Amino acid sequence: MLGHRDGHGFVQRSDGEPDVYLSPQEMRAVLHRDRVRVRIIRYDRKGRPEGRVIEILERRKAPIIGRLLHENGMWLVAPEDRRYGQDILVPKNATASAAAGQVVAVELTEPPSMYSQPVGRVTEVLGDIDDPGMEIEIAVRKYEVPHRFSPDTLAQAAALPDKLRSADLKHRIDLRDVPLVTIDGEDARDFDDAVYCEPHKSGRGKSAFVGWRLLVAIADVSHYVKPGEPLDTDAYERATSVYFPRRVIPMLPEKLSNGLCSLNPDVDRLTLVCDMLVASDGEVQAYQFYPAVICSHARLTYTEVAAALSNTRGPEAARRQEVLPHLLHLHEVYRALLKARQRRGAIDFETTETQIVCDENGRIEKIVPRVRTDAHRLIEEAMLAANVCAAEFIAQAEHPSLYRVHEGPTPEKRTTLQNYLRSLGVAQSVSDEPTPGEFQALAEATKDRPDAAQIHMMLLRSMQQAIYTPQNSGHFGLAYAAYTHFTSPIRRYPDLLVHRVIKAILARKRFHLASGELAEPAARVRKGGRLAKSQVQEQEHWEAAGLHCSTNERRADEASRDVEAWLKCRYMREHLGEEFSGTVSAVTGFGLFVTLDSLYVEGLVHITELGGEYYRFDEARQELRGERTGIRYTIGARVRVQVSRVDLDGRRIDFRMVREGEGERLLARGRAGAGRREGGASSASDALAAVQAEDRGHKRAAKAAKASAARGGQAPKPRKAAGGEAEPAARRSSGSARKTASSKSSRARRRG
């Protein structure tokens, strides 16, 4: 069950059917993330089900994070996650000596009921809300991210050797003389991939193969982390490392992630290598996998590699003279792989990624765009090539594993996209069975349009999220028939599983996920073509592992976004009242989301801040349109806004429109003369001012009529909108939103 900050909730059905709505009254006896059984009691006018709770199957046992408050002689905890909906009462003797206003973890001792609030006791005092790093402490508990290793795991990690032993080198190819290098960001601490490239020619005459030999060496985490051991148990529970500004919650203890498994320069390390022959057209002609021992010859950064490639006689190139020829070969094979990518029709949108720069106290100092250079791209293409080889290697062996699957748009999203492109008059569109090439062709055809950013954003939003699954359905965005994750076993558990599978195939064995054992390969099918019972069970284990890893990946993303949102809200509190230029990044029925140009921060302009106009949300065009004036707000419109409110607890930034931008300065076609007839308005601004004046007149008349009715007259009937309703939908929703915003504001003040 999922609670909503406005008091109602939704039950996610186990049969995959649409969610069931629960009213605020029904939510009084349950909390966010409880498991419940409901009965559908009615359907609304759009056919959406509304339910009643008939049984609570399981209460969520995880502690709830919130602020301890002392009000009217009572202690209570206001949950940090607004979806819980209710404050938790805390007896005076159960506060664990926490002070009012501090952030605490509370454990429920009495669940809520229809007539009483939940009661709990404080189990952990995190500190004051302004303590450095508090936003991360809140997030890891709020999203239940495992952040402490078990004693058994720490003991096992401590018992590992500090360097390689002679026994570790058995049955490995010695590549210590090959000048492999790592290329990462300046702030990277773990290095799980190293690369090397050299020209390659085999055969004679015109039929000779000309291209490159590309080596991608990946840290052999599976050598140290064995199935069923404490290290593996904790790694599986986490499933991924979680990255926050200035801090990482690693999947593996530091002795492994920054030591034995990190390909640090000038030390011997164990790896699993993908050794590829890449033709001049970018196609991988041959590949092989093998365990190896390497010694990284240099720890390079994207910045210095980009500088060396752009100026081979510059200072960076001179400083890295010993590896410069190999960097140039890497750049050559990258250009070849890029050609193959373009032929394949893989989607490659240029989007602006940002990086948060923090001060020593963990607060935002500035937000800057992250610049992608050829150094980033050549590593990306090398990793993609290795991942594809791993997927193909496993698929050919018919061994169960996890694939990284990214499917195309759902029929609903495809229809929405087709209608949107049609409404903008875009000549190209997507077919009923779209291909990645169609999306890339659309991006190329529209890149010079003024609304290119808005079109590309809609293309991205139409695609589904990538997941881990044993069912190989290909990767739509990258245009691969089979794709997996092989290159980051230090920070992703699916990559570790792929390493185990590849090693099993190399040993002509079969890796069983449930037991973690290697066994002799068995016949794939029984007589009649059906899978054996043991094989069906094994498939179910892989499906469960894929779901677990996908879910925890989403959890890590949510926790990271929550911390970034908190930091941005804290940052924007220093800019209250200031004006900025921005771009509309999303349009909804309740307002506009605007991203500021200079600060790269997104906030909401609520529909009530758009003036005295009645706005309708056009889903096909993704725009808000004024009914009278035809003023339009669309994705990509340029606007000028003022920072009006920052809700730190709600992670929300509100803007107020200051003046109209390019996207909404013109009236709708065919209505340009209407504004002039109604008071001489010759622009959207004048027309809007006229409408606002007219609305004020209507309000004064309604107030006078109401007063007359109170003195014994008859109250007037509500004025109907063009659609026949007593009031337009957008106006009604904005009214309820104002009430919600008011209640949120008072609660925020109460929390301090």
Side-chain angles (χ1 to χ4, degrees):
M1 193 205 70
L2 301 178
H4 192 279
R5 62 178 59 199
D6 289 343
H8 58 269
F10 296 92
V11 176
Q12 288 185 318
R13 294 174 57 165
S14 56
D15 58 6
E17 292 297 311
D19 295 350
V20 179
Y21 171 82
L22 294 180
S23 67
Q25 180 69 17
E26 289 294 319
M27 290 293 293
R28 290 181 60 85
V30 294
L31 288 174
H32 172 62
R33 303 188 76 176
D34 285 349
R35 289 187 69 245
V36 298
R37 179 178 285 117
V38 298
R39 176 185 294 121
I40 296 175
I41 57 175
R42 66 174 66 89
Y43 291 87
D44 65 11
R45 58 190 178 88
K46 292 186 177 180
R48 295 173 295 193
E50 181 177 339
R52 175 176 296 154
V53 177
I54 59 175
E55 185 181 0
I56 299 171
L57 302 175
E58 182 183 349
R59 294 282 189 183
R60 192 72 179 179
K61 293 182 174 60
I64 298 172
I65 308 301
R67 298 273 291 279
L68 183 66
L69 305 174
H70 193 224
E71 295 184 350
N72 301 323
M74 299 177 63
W75 291 93
L76 53 89
V77 171
E80 167 69 22
D81 191 339
R82 299 284 188 86
R83 293 175 294 182
Y84 281 101
Q86 301 185 57
D87 292 340
I88 301 160
L89 298 175
V90 179
K92 184 178 179 180
N93 61 352
T95 60
S97 302
Q102 286 189 310
V103 181
V104 298
V106 62
E107 182 182 82
L108 292 186
T109 55
E110 295 180 26
S113 70
M114 294 295 289
Y115 309 103
S116 63
Q117 285 181 258
V119 180
R121 64 182 184 88
V122 174
T123 58
E124 183 181 10
V125 181
L126 302 185
D128 295 322
I129 191 65
D130 291 325
D131 289 349
M134 179 54 65
E135 67 281 358
I136 297 176
E137 297 297 332
I138 291 172
V140 295
R141 292 164 177 82
K142 177 178 175 181
Y143 292 95
E144 300 177 32
V145 175
H147 57 285
R148 295 191 182 101
F149 290 107
S150 68
D152 290 342
T153 295
L154 294 176
Q156 185 184 357
L160 291 172
D162 294 323
K163 57 183 180 180
L164 298 190
R165 299 164 297 189
S166 56
D168 297 325
L169 307 183
K170 289 182 179 178
H171 310 298
R172 291 183 179 271
I173 304 297
D174 192 340
L175 298 180
R176 285 176 286 190
D177 60 331
V178 178
L180 288 133
V181 297
T182 62
I183 305 176
D184 296 275
E186 281 80 0
D187 55 351
R189 294 182 60 195
D190 54 66
F191 314 110
D192 45 18
D193 56 81
V195 291
Y196 168 77
C197 185
E198 65 182 13
H200 175 80
K201 181 178 180 180
S202 62
R204 296 181 179 179
K206 295 182 180 180
S207 61
F209 170 83
V210 179
W212 298 269
R213 182 188 181 197
L214 174 62
L215 269 64
V216 175
I218 305 300
D220 191 358
V221 177
S222 63
H223 180 82
Y224 301 101
V225 182
K226 303 295 185 182
E229 294 183 347
L231 275 170
D232 184 61
T233 301
D234 269 11
Y236 178 75
E237 184 185 7
R238 298 178 180 221
T240 180
S241 297
V242 188
Y243 291 86
F244 300 109
R246 289 169 52 91
R247 183 178 169 187
V248 178
I249 308 295
M251 187 181 80
L252 299 170
E254 187 173 354
K255 185 165 185 178
L256 286 167
S257 60
N258 294 78
L260 275 173
C261 293
S262 184
L263 307 184
N264 301 323
D266 303 319
V267 290
D268 295 347
R269 288 289 184 256
L270 305 181
T271 62
L272 188 58
V273 174
C274 180
D275 193 337
M276 296 167 276
L277 294 181
V278 183
S280 57
D281 62 356
E283 297 296 330
V284 178
Q285 299 290 340
Y287 63 85
Q288 61 177 329
F289 288 90
Y290 51 82
V293 55
I294 72 163
C295 179
S296 172
H297 281 47
R299 181 269 199 263
L300 306 178
T301 67
Y302 293 123
T303 303
E304 61 182 327
V305 171
L309 293 176
S310 62
N311 183 6
T312 56
R313 297 186 179 183
E316 292 294 347
R319 198 162 68 89
R320 297 295 186 181
Q321 194 63 44
E322 70 282 0
V323 295
L324 181 62
H326 312 301
L327 294 179
L328 294 174
H329 296 322
L330 276 169
H331 197 235
E332 291 168 358
V333 77
Y334 151 68
R335 287 199 295 259
L337 290 169
L338 189 61
K339 291 178 184 176
R341 180 193 188 106
Q342 292 166 348
R343 283 198 311 274
R344 219 169 52 241
I347 299 171
D348 188 15
F349 298 152
E350 284 294 335
T351 56
T352 302
E353 295 183 9
T354 58
Q355 177 182 1
I356 293 177
V357 180
C358 296
D359 59 21
E360 63 275 5
N361 295 319
R363 302 290 183 251
I364 291 183
E365 188 175 285
K366 58 184 177 179
I367 302 174
V368 296
R370 195 185 294 271
V371 179
R372 289 184 76 240
T373 64
D374 275 2
H376 292 83
R377 296 186 184 97
L378 69 84
I379 288 296
E380 178 183 313
E381 288 297 330
M383 298 305 115
L384 290 177
N387 285 336
V388 171
C389 291
E392 185 179 306
F393 185 67
I394 293 170
Q396 287 179 350
E398 297 185 351
H399 194 298
S401 183
L402 290 183
Y403 294 92
R404 183 66 168 177
V405 168
H406 179 232
E407 296 185 316
T410 62
E412 295 79 14
K413 287 187 175 183
R414 186 195 66 230
T415 301
T416 299
L417 179 61
Q418 289 170 335
N419 292 338
Y420 172 72
L421 295 172
R422 195 177 301 118
S423 69
L424 292 183
V426 177
Q428 296 89 345
S429 187
V430 293
S431 63
D432 291 339
E433 295 292 336
T435 64
E438 290 180 46
F439 276 69
Q440 186 60 25
L442 260 169
E444 285 293 322
T446 58
K447 66 181 181 181
D448 296 325
R449 288 176 54 123
D451 53 0
Q454 128 190 24
I455 294 172
H456 294 178
M457 195 174 299
M458 287 299 297
L459 291 173
L460 283 171
R461 288 177 178 172
S462 70
M463 290 183 281
Q464 300 182 58
Q465 285 186 314
I467 60 171
Y468 295 107
T469 173
Q471 308 295 335
N472 177 27
S473 302
H475 197 292
F476 181 84
L478 295 172
Y480 286 131
Y483 185 72
T484 192
H485 275 170
F486 158 78
T487 55
S488 297
I490 290 178
R491 60 185 179 92
R492 291 190 305 227
Y493 196 82
D495 302 53
L496 175 57
L497 290 177
V498 167
H499 276 229
R500 289 173 179 166
V501 169
I502 291 175
K503 280 188 169 183
I505 297 171
L506 291 175
R508 301 184 185 279
K509 303 282 187 180
R510 202 167 188 86
F511 171 69
H512 290 286
L513 181 61
S515 63
E517 298 175 351
L518 293 180
E520 295 297 327
R524 176 69 178 158
V525 295
R526 296 190 307 181
K527 188 176 180 180
R530 291 182 300 173
L531 291 175
K533 183 178 179 180
S534 60
Q535 293 171 329
V536 171
Q537 291 174 340
E538 183 72 9
Q539 188 74 6
E540 290 173 351
H541 287 306
W542 281 102
E543 289 174 357
L547 178 61
H548 172 81
C549 292
S550 298
T551 301
N552 286 4
E553 180 186 45
R554 304 284 179 263
R555 178 182 67 184
D557 290 341
E558 288 175 359
S560 298
R561 283 195 296 267
D562 188 79
V563 167
E564 289 188 8
W566 193 95
L567 289 171
K568 288 178 179 179
C569 285
R570 186 65 182 263
Y571 180 55
M572 292 307 293
R573 280 168 60 171
E574 302 171 5
H575 297 279
L576 277 170
E578 296 182 24
E579 296 180 11
F580 299 93
S581 297
T583 304
V584 175
S585 53
V587 181
T588 69
F590 55 84
L592 316 169
F593 286 95
V594 176
T595 301
L596 305 183
D597 294 341
S598 55
L599 300 182
Y600 302 97
V601 170
E602 186 179 67
L604 173 69
V605 179
H606 197 269
I607 197 168
T608 55
E609 297 288 347
L610 297 180
E613 167 67 295
Y614 298 94
Y615 287 91
R616 295 282 186 182
F617 176 54
D618 187 333
E619 186 176 5
R621 293 178 177 269
Q622 288 291 298
E623 71 176 17
L624 280 176
R625 185 184 183 93
E627 285 192 346
R628 299 184 187 180
T629 59
I631 294 174
R632 295 179 295 171
Y633 293 95
T634 62
I635 298 175
R638 303 283 299 141
V639 294
R640 183 83 176 169
V641 296
Q642 181 187 52
V643 183
S644 60
R645 181 173 174 267
V646 176
D647 179 5
L648 195 60
D649 290 332
R651 312 290 196 268
R652 174 172 161 173
I653 302 167
D654 289 334
F655 297 148
R656 181 179 67 83
M657 198 69 72
V658 175
R659 66 170 181 265
E660 298 169 2
E662 298 173 3
E664 22 70 32
R665 72 182 186 276
L666 299 176
L667 296 176
R669 188 177 301 171
R671 289 196 172 195
R676 288 191 291 272
R677 291 194 298 271
E678 296 178 9
S682 58
S683 68
S685 301
D686 298 333
L688 183 56
V691 171
Q692 290 172 331
E694 184 182 346
D695 282 348
R696 286 193 291 270
H698 280 299
K699 289 177 182 177
R700 284 195 294 270
K703 192 179 293 184
K706 188 175 181 180
S708 174
R711 291 194 297 270
Q714 187 175 1
K717 294 181 179 179
R719 176 171 54 86
K720 289 193 175 183
E725 298 177 352
E727 192 177 10
R731 191 70 169 202
R732 286 201 307 274
S733 65
S734 62
S736 63
R738 280 196 295 271
K739 293 178 185 177
T740 303
S742 176
S743 65
K744 288 180 182 177
S745 178
S746 64
R747 183 167 182 176
R749 287 195 297 273
R750 176 164 62 82
R751 293 185 178 190

